[in-house]
Amino acid sequence: MKYKTQIEAARKGIFTKEMEYVATNENINRELLIKEVSNGRLIIPGNKNHKNIRPVAIGELSSTKVNVNIGISKDCPDKDVELKKVKKAIELNVDSIMDLSCWGDTRDFRQNLVEVSPCMIGSVPMYDMIGNSGKALKDLTKDDFLKCVKDHAIDGIDFMTIHAGLNKKTAQRVKRNRRLTNIVSRGGSLLFAWMEMTGNENPFYEFYEEFLDVLYEYDVTISLGDGCRPGSIHDATDASQLEELITLGELTKRAWAKNVQVMVEGPGHIPLNEVKTNMIIAKKLLFNAPFYVLGPLVTDIAPGYDHITSAIGGAIAASSGADFLCYVTPAEHLRLPDEDDMIEGIMATKIAAHAGDVARKFPGAIEKDNNMSKARAELDWEKMISLSINPEKSYKYRQSAKPDKEDTCTMCGEMCAVKNMNKILSGEEVKIS
């Protein structure tokens, strides 16, 4: 084989079948696509062992993508329930599914997930290692870390969250600059604890090149995790977050040098007025590598509604440089989301992603809104429903309260502004009965 990864192929001028699919699907010029993949600003995650994957691009040239989190835990160990959620997420046309499993037979679940999903699959090896190594956290070794990453690569995972930026230097920054919510990243907190208990450097950082060699072999994209992402708006844009971000930029360049595709994860909780600033700083320090954000949530007071707080921040983030949005559900901070929570989270995040695409004038985005507006102007309810982001829900609402006359709805009835404007501009008399 002349290449092992998409970035290596692009640097050799090879137009892969994955690039061809993306170029057609997102209407990207062939030469420009090769250029953007070669310089790391566009990635096409796809493990060579994930045979049924539908290639997806993440980066400045592509539409904003949406990720869904699923996974089994000790309190919610039913794999069938999670696989049912996976099938629903695929039906709703998400771009990515991330397995956050941390208990039980995670490998069997992971392999099933890769087998059934055409969406790209992500994982966090740190969770799996803790749950299945049979060792206490402090007894884990670099070889345990490396074995877990290899297992995930062999199983077909397309991108892995690796918390390589939370090194001893950053850990000292965390201790000197105490936060309201400390470290809220699960993987980041485990690594911080491991470093404190052992006195050793983070293996993901100390032996970074060895991990990159594994990722290169299978064309796994490294998703550089932000162990110091803020868990409250009070802690946003602080010294710990920025210290780690600088390190993540350095690690990005080292991965590119090894022909490994890279994206970088970002916050978290950010007040509304700092979202755009965070995106600009991150893109600058990360050399315009694709940026993946959780939310961000713009207030901390809305448990049960955090899909909304997340969508507000996500829309601003997507319009300001974020390339990939991780969904947040109404269950965030409260419990593992069920299927209904997942659906609400997906829809909220897809709305945010589309709003961001419209704001940044992504080709074809505004046309979707214009088509909906045209259908509304024509009072074409069937077309409005078909064009909506969730036709099933739109249809249920329409059917639940049928109007007296089909060309109106039960809100305005004969006082419908659209109907009456159409009439008066056509020279007809408007009568309200």
Side-chain angles (χ1 to χ4, degrees):
M1 183 181 291
K2 295 180 181 178
Y3 65 90
K4 288 196 173 182
T5 67
Q6 294 295 319
I7 189 171
E8 184 177 30
R11 287 170 172 176
K12 293 182 176 182
I14 299 171
F15 192 65
T16 66
K17 65 180 186 299
E18 292 83 7
M19 293 179 198
E20 183 176 4
Y21 183 93
V22 165
T24 301
N25 194 49
E26 301 227 30
N27 194 28
I28 303 174
N29 173 273
R30 172 177 174 150
E31 287 72 27
L32 183 57
L33 188 147
I34 289 177
K35 177 183 176 182
E36 292 295 283
V37 173
S38 68
N39 63 30
R41 287 198 292 263
L42 190 75
I43 59 173
I44 307 174
N47 187 313
K48 69 178 185 180
N49 287 345
H50 189 178
K51 303 300 183 183
N52 64 332
I53 190 172
R54 180 181 63 237
V56 168
I58 303 170
E60 295 177 2
L61 282 184
S62 64
S63 59
T64 305
K65 301 304 188 297
V66 170
N67 174 72
V68 170
N69 292 335
I70 50 88
I72 53 176
S73 66
K74 189 173 183 179
D75 289 316
C76 300
D78 194 327
K79 291 185 285 187
D80 291 336
V81 169
E82 291 305 292
L83 286 171
K84 184 183 176 187
K85 286 160 63 177
V86 167
K87 290 176 182 178
K88 185 62 178 180
I90 294 169
E91 178 187 321
L92 294 174
N93 199 33
V94 300
D95 302 297
S96 168
I97 299 172
M98 201 160 187
D99 177 15
L100 304 186
S101 295
C102 59
W103 188 86
D105 192 352
T106 54
R107 189 162 203 184
D108 178 68
F109 178 76
R110 182 167 63 248
Q111 290 171 340
N112 286 340
L113 176 58
V114 171
E115 183 179 352
V116 303
S117 177
C119 305
M120 58 183 173
I121 303 297
S123 71
V124 188
M126 191 71 196
Y127 302 170
D128 194 29
M129 181 167 38
I130 296 296
N132 287 285
S133 67
K135 294 182 177 182
L137 174 60
K138 66 181 177 60
D139 294 330
L140 292 173
T141 67
K142 168 253 193 173
D143 289 339
D144 294 319
F145 283 68
L146 193 60
K147 180 183 182 302
C148 192
V149 169
K150 284 182 178 178
D151 287 345
H152 283 230
I154 290 168
D155 291 343
I157 294 298
D158 303 301
F159 67 93
M160 293 185 207
T161 295
I162 304 289
H163 296 90
L166 182 51
N167 56 18
K168 292 180 77 171
K169 181 181 178 183
T170 303
Q172 288 301 315
R173 182 78 68 181
V174 171
K175 289 190 286 186
R176 289 197 303 268
N177 298 270
R178 295 302 296 271
R179 291 171 147 188
L180 195 60
T181 48
N182 295 315
I183 290 178
V184 299
S185 161
R186 195 187 328 177
S189 67
L190 291 169
L191 277 166
F192 183 91
W194 184 90
M195 286 189 286
E196 288 293 296
M197 289 188 293
T198 65
N200 296 329
E201 181 58 276
N202 175 358
F204 289 132
Y205 180 80
E206 185 176 5
F207 305 103
Y208 187 57
E209 268 67 23
E210 290 187 49
F211 290 95
L212 291 178
D213 288 340
V214 174
L215 303 183
Y216 169 78
E217 187 67 28
Y218 295 88
D219 196 5
V220 178
T221 297
I222 186 168
S223 186
L224 288 166
D226 54 334
C228 292
R229 72 170 182 265
S232 61
I233 60 173
H234 174 276
D235 296 338
T237 329
D238 70 353
S240 299
Q241 179 191 340
L242 296 178
E243 174 82 52
E244 184 183 32
L245 192 62
I246 292 169
T247 303
L248 293 177
E250 295 167 351
L251 294 172
T252 294
K253 295 179 77 173
R254 287 167 63 183
W256 284 340
K258 299 277 281 188
N259 281 319
V260 173
Q261 297 190 99
V262 185
M263 63 180 164
V264 183
E265 300 180 15
H269 294 236
I270 310 176
L272 197 66
N273 60 303
E274 293 182 19
V275 175
K276 183 176 181 180
T277 301
N278 267 258
M279 299 308 111
I280 293 171
I281 292 172
K283 279 290 188 172
K284 180 75 172 178
L285 293 178
L286 301 172
F287 310 102
N288 292 308
F291 197 44
Y292 173 29
V293 297
L294 176 63
L297 284 71
V298 295
T299 181
D300 302 329
I301 65 165
Y305 300 94
D306 275 332
H307 59 311
I308 298 174
T309 63
S310 168
I312 294 168
I316 299 171
S319 69
S320 306
D323 307 291
F324 194 18
L325 304 181
C326 184
Y327 90 152
V328 173
T329 77
E332 184 79 9
H333 300 111
L334 301 172
R335 62 168 169 82
L336 188 79
D338 62 20
E339 186 173 318
D340 289 338
D341 297 325
M342 182 191 73
I343 292 170
E344 290 300 305
I346 289 171
M347 292 305 156
T349 309
K350 291 184 80 166
I351 292 167
H354 176 70
D357 286 345
V358 170
R360 68 188 180 97
K361 296 181 170 54
F362 182 78
I366 190 65
E367 282 73 16
K368 295 179 181 179
D369 293 80
N370 291 343
N371 289 337
M372 175 64 84
S373 297
K374 186 173 185 293
R376 284 181 175 149
E378 296 170 352
L379 297 172
D380 187 338
W381 302 98
E382 185 174 333
K383 190 170 185 180
M384 279 186 255
I385 290 169
S386 71
L387 292 172
S388 66
I389 198 164
N390 188 345
E392 181 180 351
K393 188 171 187 177
S394 300
Y395 178 78
K396 285 181 179 178
Y397 270 90
R398 177 70 176 169
Q399 294 300 310
S400 68
K402 297 299 288 291
D404 181 52
K405 295 186 178 180
E406 281 295 317
D407 61 349
T408 64
C409 77
T410 53
M411 171 67 82
C412 300
E414 285 293 285
M415 293 185 184
C416 173
V418 176
K419 178 179 178 178
N420 291 330
M421 285 302 297
N422 288 347
K423 280 189 172 184
I424 201 70
L425 290 174
S426 298
E428 299 179 46
E429 184 179 353
V430 172
K431 295 181 179 180
I432 309 298
S433 56

